[in-house]
Amino acid sequence: EVRLVESGGGLVQPGGSLKLSCVASGFAAFSLYHMCWVRQGPGKGLERISCISNDGSVTSVPTAEGRFTISRDNDAMTVDLIIERLSPADTGVYYCAHPRANWDRLGPTTKDENDYWGQGTQVTVSS
């Protein structure tokens, strides 16, 4: 059974940083899978914000302004997302997921466009 488990969220003050982690299991060959982080802000839809391809290429939404660093460790079957200079606009539930197509297409997305969702980790940025 394929499973994704996110962690690392919490309450952070504006300007702070967080490292979100996603641990995968059940993949026959995790290194072959593109992976993304998807965010759902309060009252908003799902948004792909950062993705990493199976060969390590990365992309993030322009609004990240260089604050996002996505990485993967295929041996450990993990995908991490570091977010720096957090602002209240970063508040939301963060999921890792496998994009079913067009791995580098960022922005609004749907559950059907991604496979193997985790349960998410809540990030709240507030003073």
Side-chain angles (χ1 to χ4, degrees):
E1 178 189 3
V2 170
R3 192 173 179 217
L4 298 172
V5 179
E6 302 93 340
S7 64
L11 175 62
V12 187
Q13 289 192 340
S17 300
L18 271 181
K19 180 180 179 181
L20 306 180
S21 294
C22 171
V23 180
S25 60
F27 286 83
F30 178 72
S31 62
L32 298 180
Y33 286 79
H34 310 311
M35 298 296 295
C36 292
W37 281 93
V38 179
R39 177 175 65 200
Q40 186 166 31
K44 297 183 179 180
L46 296 167
E47 180 188 20
R48 271 191 209 160
I49 57 172
S50 191
C51 297
I52 186 165
S53 73
N54 56 9
D55 68 358
S57 298
V58 300
T59 185
S60 296
V61 287
T63 52
E65 298 178 321
R67 299 182 300 116
F68 296 173
T69 303
I70 187 171
S71 62
R72 67 189 297 160
D73 182 332
N74 290 327
D75 291 333
M77 295 176 66
T78 60
V79 181
D80 293 336
L81 180 68
I82 296 173
I83 309 176
E84 300 175 282
R85 305 189 303 279
L86 284 154
S87 75
D90 294 314
T91 293
V93 180
Y94 286 70
Y95 303 90
C96 68
H98 162 63
R100 299 180 73 177
N102 303 320
W103 74 270
D104 56 351
R105 188 179 68 79
L106 302 171
T109 188
T110 66
K111 285 251 180 182
D112 289 342
E113 292 176 339
N114 303 273
D115 286 329
Y116 311 132
W117 292 84
Q119 84 291 344
T121 186
Q122 174 72 47
V123 173
T124 303
V125 184
S126 175
S127 56

